[in-house]
Structure formats: C-alpha cells, structure tokens
C-alpha cells in the first residue's frame, strides 16, 4: 500500500510542529510507518492523501458517534456558520443545547460550556476546591483527564499515594496536591479518606476508564466510592469526556445509576467541534462566576457553530432505540472476534461496553493499569500494521480503545471482524 504522500507531508510537518503533530499520539510512535494524513471521511470510512480508504475505528478518538461527516451535523453547522461564527454574547442555540442536556440527564441541574475536555476537567477541579475550601485531589492510576497540570501525575515508587509528574514543566508543589491510587483498591481508598479527608477536595475518576485500555470497574466499587465521598465530605467528579453520551445519553452516571457531584464532558458533546462542559447540582454550580466566587471564562465558549453541531448530534442520540442498536451491533462484532480467539486459544480477550471495545492482550480480566503487560503491546503493533495494510484503521496504540459509530453497518463490521481475526492470527504467529 502506498503512503508516499502521507510520508511527504509528515516530513514537512516535522519542520512545523513538535514531532510533526499537534497532539502526541497522532505521531504513530507506538506503531510502524508515518501517520496517515486524512483528507476526508464519510460514514464509517475515511480516505488518506494517497487515496487509500479505511474503515475507521478511532472516530477522531471518540467524538464521532454518528460517523464521519454526518448529514444532520454538517447541515446544522453550515446553516449556522452562514450567520456568523461567534458573537461573544449568549445565543438561543446555547439555551437549546442546555435544555436538551439538562432535561434528559437526571443528575444535571446546571451546566457550563467550555472548549475542550481538558478545560472542563481543569474547571471542575477548581470548582471542587472553591466549593469545599480544600486543596488535594485524588486520582487513579490509568485514568486520563486531559493535560491538566495537577493531573499529569502517576503513582511514584514507594508509598502509592505520593505521585510523580508524567510531564516536565509541572512544579513539585502542584504534584503534592494530587494523591494517586490504584483502581479497584477499596481498602486503599478507605484508608486514604480516613487519614486525609480534611485536606481532600475531590476524587476524580473515569467511571469507565478508557484511556489506558478499557479497565471496566465493578458497579459496587463505584457505588462505594460515592458512599465514602459522601461520608467524608469529599466531592466525587466523574470524568465522562469519553463515556458521556457514549454508553447512553446519561453516560456512565446513568449506566451505573450513581450521582457524582460534578460531571465533565467533551468529545461527543460537540458533534466533532471543540466543545467541553461541566455540570452538576445547582447548589454546587452556583459557586461558578458570575453567581459565585470560582472564576472561569472562555472567549469562544458555547460559540453558536459548536452548539449547533452539539444539538444535531444529541438529537440523534435521543431517538428511541439508538443506544440499544449501537450496543447490539458492537457486541455482535466483538463476540465474533472473541469466539475466534477462543477457538485459536490466543492469549487475549475482547473487552466491550456500549460501543467501545479494547483488545486485552491477556487471558485474565484487567482492572487496573499495572495489570497491563507493556510487552503485550508488541502484539498490538503487529495487528495494527496488518490492519492498516488491509484498510482497517485502529487508534495507533494498544492502550487506546476502539469506537463503533452509528454509521458502521453490519456489513462493515463483518468485513472488519474477518480482517481483525486474521490480524490477530498474524500477530500471534
Ligand atoms: C479526551 C479526554 C480528556 C481530554 O479532552 P481534550 O478535549 O482532549 O482536552 C479528558 N478526560 C478524558 C476521560 C478523556 O478521554
């Protein structure tokens, strides 16, 4: 397969952007070859500059739940953009999307729009601190919350709760405000809250951890986090930037019927435009400026074009049976691959929830980041290479999850499952 144009463009991009990219995973560092330079997409497929077309399971890392270039979203954008792109004032479209979300989400009374998932998380953390008057934040190893300074922290060696930054440029004093625990560690969490809850403003978790494999937690564990947070006066933040509107309109909160204090959104909420949001009960959200003392603002926040795209995607998600259909087709697709894996006896398994899936390269259930063997990523690398050569695109890292969109047909998924089974055989050969 020819990738000359992508290679040429990547060589040029390297003279323009650090690593040739504007977001690090795009550089294909964990897999082989140059990153694909994509010029257009429609439905379940996109086409690169060399005119190769691929069935896409990355879907822009999650936002494209309706697939590429969805007619209704595109029409909403073009209709709105014809009237201007931004006014720096409130708009009717802002009210419309606000109502659409709040009326259909049992745990949201007020919401604030921002322009990315990172910004949503950063603002939610500030709100939690402003609301509780406390400073420390608890996060979990293997959960990603955007590139927020105080959350680019992993468990250090030695005592689990003392973190280390995962990026240069973050003051040690910031890191000291973040405590890191392993997922699914009930006792560790209880001990930590018992000892330090007077200093802890909030616990932040991806209720469906989907940025370091798909580390599905038990509902009991999440319920228990909520119970202890309430008991110790610590806010619970669900980072639903991926899971929000993905496993159901009410995201993981609705899926597990757990009410967090603050929920953060991104990805799907903007219908492919840059949008993030955070929300919760009025009593907490009223601490945000100008109602309250927690300052947070944005020049392009809730800009009408992005709001129109958001409305257009959310309305489609609210159609009866939308999620059931999407989940059923994803499950059928994963089950096919899973039975192949079992017949061949490969040491891996499929993990799936809603329309997300992950290739767990282990025969054991994986519930925390430390259970992933970094060496297993070699298997993924081979799969990725094989699939790229066979016109199937997966996110370029074995730690990333795959997404099925409403535009993926049963025929697409049958074609993909056959190729994926072959890719798995190839990788284990
Ligand atoms: C993608 C993601 C973010 C960051 O969102 P950006 O829009 O990339 O800033 C934060 N949290 C989670 C759970 C995410 O998946």
């Amino acid at each position: 397969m020819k990738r000359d144009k992508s290679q040429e463009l990547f060589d040029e991009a390297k003279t323009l952007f650090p690593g040739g990219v504007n977001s690090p995973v795009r550089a294909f560092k964990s897999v082989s070859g140059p990153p694909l330079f994509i010029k257009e997409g429609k439905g379940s497929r996109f086409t690169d500059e060399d005119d190769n077309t691929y069935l896409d399971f990355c879907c822009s890392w999650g936002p494209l739940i309706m697939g590429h270039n969805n007619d209704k979203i595109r029409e909403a954008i073009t209709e709105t953009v014809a009237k201007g792109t931004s006014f720096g004032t409130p708009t009717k479209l802002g009210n419309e999307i606000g109502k659409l979300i709040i009326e259909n989400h049992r745990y949201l009374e007020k919401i604030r729009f921002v322009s990315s998932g990172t910004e949503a998380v950063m603002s939610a953390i500030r709100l939690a601190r402003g609301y509780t008057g406390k400073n420390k934040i608890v996060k979990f190893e293997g959960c990603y919350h955007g590139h927020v300074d105080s959350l680019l922290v992993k468990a250090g060696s030695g005592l689990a709760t003392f973190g280390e930054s995962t990026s240069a440029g973050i003051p040690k004093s910031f890191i000291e405000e973040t405590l890191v625990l392993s997922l699914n560690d009930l006792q560790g969490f209880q001990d930590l809250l018992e000892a330090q809850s007077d200093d802890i403003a909030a616990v932040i978790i991806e209720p469906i951890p989907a940025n370091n494999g798909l580390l599905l937690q038990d509902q009991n564990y999440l319920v228990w986090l909520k119970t202890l947070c309430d008991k110790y006066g610590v806010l619970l933040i669900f980072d639903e930037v991926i899971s929000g509107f993905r496993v159901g309109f009410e995201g993981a909160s609705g899926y597990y019927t757990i009410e967090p204090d603050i929920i953060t959104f991104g990805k799907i909420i903007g219908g492919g435009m840059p949008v993030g949001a955070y929300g919760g009960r009025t009593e907490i959200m009223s601490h945000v400026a100008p109602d309250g003392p927690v300052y947070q603002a944005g020049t392009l926040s809730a800009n009408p074009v992005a709001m129109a795209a958001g409305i257009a995607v959310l309305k489609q998600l609210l159609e009866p049976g939308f999620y059931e259909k999407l989940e059923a087709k994803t499950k059928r697709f994963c089950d096919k691959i899973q039975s192949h894996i079992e017949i061949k006896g490969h040491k891996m398994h499929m993990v799936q929830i809603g329309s997300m899936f992950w290739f767990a390269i282990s025969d054991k259930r994986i519930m925390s980041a430390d259970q992933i063997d970094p060496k297993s990523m070699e298997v993924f690398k081979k799969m990725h290479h094989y699939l790229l050569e066979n016109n199937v695109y997966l996110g370029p890292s074995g730690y990333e999850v795959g997404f099925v969109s409403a535009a993926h047909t049963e025929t697409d998924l049958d074609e993909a499952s056959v190729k994926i089974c072959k890719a798995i055989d190839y990788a284990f050969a």
Side-chain angles (χ1 to χ4, degrees):
M1 187 176 288
K2 272 174 98 82
R3 283 204 270 279
D4 303 353
K5 294 220 170 98
S6 281
Q7 183 66 62
E8 230 170 79
L9 287 163
F10 189 47
D11 291 341
E12 179 182 55
K14 281 192 268 193
T15 69
L16 304 170
F17 316 117
V21 290
N22 292 290
S23 194
V25 235
R26 293 184 195 170
F28 266 44
K29 289 267 189 199
S30 326
V31 293
S32 45
L36 305 184
F37 277 63
I38 300 300
K39 60 177 180 186
E40 61 185 309
K42 185 70 195 155
S44 58
R45 290 171 206 256
F46 62 27
T47 305
D48 68 12
E49 294 285 350
D50 292 282
D51 284 324
N52 306 304
T53 294
Y54 303 83
L55 243 175
D56 176 26
F57 288 98
C58 181
C59 293
S60 193
W61 306 92
L64 305 186
I65 192 167
M66 299 310 301
H68 294 276
N69 198 354
N70 173 258
D71 293 343
K72 287 181 176 153
I73 300 175
R74 188 192 58 253
E75 281 159 19
I77 291 172
T78 48
E79 204 175 285
T80 309
V81 86
K83 299 176 198 161
T85 52
S86 181
F87 310 113
T89 68
T91 65
K92 205 161 91 181
L93 287 168
N95 286 17
E96 197 182 320
I97 190 169
K99 271 193 283 185
L100 202 57
I101 295 172
I102 289 166
E103 283 170 6
N104 290 289
H105 196 304
R106 77 194 89 164
Y107 301 129
L108 294 174
E109 289 177 357
K110 279 218 168 115
I111 187 164
R112 168 63 64 85
F113 282 103
V114 294
S115 298
S116 72
T118 296
E119 208 188 337
V121 170
M122 185 188 81
S123 310
I125 297 284
R126 184 180 307 136
L127 173 57
R129 286 174 167 154
Y131 177 82
T132 59
K134 299 189 276 186
N135 288 333
K136 289 199 193 309
I137 301 293
V138 178
K139 70 152 284 186
F140 298 90
E141 187 84 4
C143 288
Y144 174 69
H145 303 292
H147 62 93
V148 180
D149 274 346
S150 59
L151 296 175
L152 287 175
V153 182
K154 62 172 181 186
S157 44
L159 260 185
T161 52
F162 285 101
E164 258 170 43
S165 88
T166 54
S167 165
I170 299 174
K172 199 161 167 284
S173 56
F174 288 21
I175 300 304
E176 283 165 8
E177 303 297 348
T178 307
L179 306 164
V180 187
L181 283 177
S182 179
L183 283 163
N184 193 36
D185 173 6
L186 288 79
Q187 192 61 46
F189 185 73
Q190 177 155 13
D191 293 348
L192 182 64
L193 285 207
E194 232 159 61
Q196 301 196 49
S197 63
D198 287 351
D199 299 321
I200 299 172
V203 172
I204 183 165
I205 187 168
E206 282 183 85
I208 299 177
N211 275 289
N212 198 297
L214 188 52
L215 308 175
L216 299 184
Q217 302 298 297
D218 288 332
Q219 183 178 23
N220 287 345
Y221 169 69
L222 296 168
V223 167
W224 189 80
L225 288 186
K226 160 79 181 158
T227 309
L228 284 191
C229 281
D230 285 351
K231 178 173 166 196
Y232 287 101
V234 169
L235 296 191
L236 179 62
I237 304 173
F238 271 7
D239 182 355
E240 297 229 47
V241 172
I242 280 194
S243 57
F245 309 104
R246 172 58 66 178
V247 296
F249 196 89
E250 295 174 302
S253 311
Y255 187 92
Y256 294 118
T257 58
I258 298 172
E259 180 177 5
D261 297 292
I262 306 174
I263 310 178
T264 57
F265 300 99
K267 303 200 167 107
I268 290 175
I269 200 173
M273 298 291 283
V275 181
Y278 61 105
R281 296 189 300 279
T282 302
E283 182 245 329
I284 293 176
M285 292 302 290
S286 64
H287 283 67
V288 177
D291 273 353
V294 177
Y295 189 71
Q296 187 272 306
T299 302
L300 292 172
S301 291
N303 95 77
V305 182
M307 295 298 96
I311 293 165
V313 69
L314 298 179
K315 276 190 176 160
Q316 296 182 76
L317 305 182
L318 284 168
E319 280 168 18
F322 176 87
Y323 285 103
E324 288 76 4
K325 206 170 141 202
L326 184 57
E327 158 132 45
K329 108 181 143 177
T330 309
K331 184 166 186 309
R332 192 172 150 262
F333 165 67
C334 290
D335 285 351
K336 275 194 171 171
I337 302 168
Q338 179 63 32
S339 25
H340 177 83
I341 291 168
E342 284 167 19
I343 290 166
K344 294 288 173 114
H346 294 314
K347 233 182 131 181
M348 67 178 286
H349 65 280
M350 298 300 291
V351 182
Q352 175 253 326
I353 185 168
S355 48
M356 293 190 274
F357 64 89
W358 181 54
F359 303 103
I361 301 170
S362 163
D363 47 13
K364 296 191 189 67
R365 180 172 174 193
I366 298 182
M367 294 180 79
S368 59
D370 60 300
Q371 292 172 324
I372 302 176
D373 177 4
K375 287 198 294 272
S376 69
M377 292 302 153
E378 283 305 309
V379 174
F380 178 82
K381 191 173 166 179
K382 287 187 192 151
M383 283 174 63
H384 191 272
H385 174 76
Y386 180 96
L387 288 168
L388 218 51
E389 289 296 316
N390 287 276
N391 306 86
V392 175
Y393 186 83
L394 300 175
S397 155
Y399 291 95
E400 301 295 342
V401 299
F403 298 99
V404 173
S405 82
H408 287 74
T409 63
E410 298 282 359
T411 318
D412 288 339
L413 295 174
D414 284 344
E415 175 194 331
S417 63
V418 170
K419 289 178 174 175
I420 290 170
C421 291
K422 286 187 181 158
I424 292 171
D425 293 345
Y426 168 82
F428 277 101

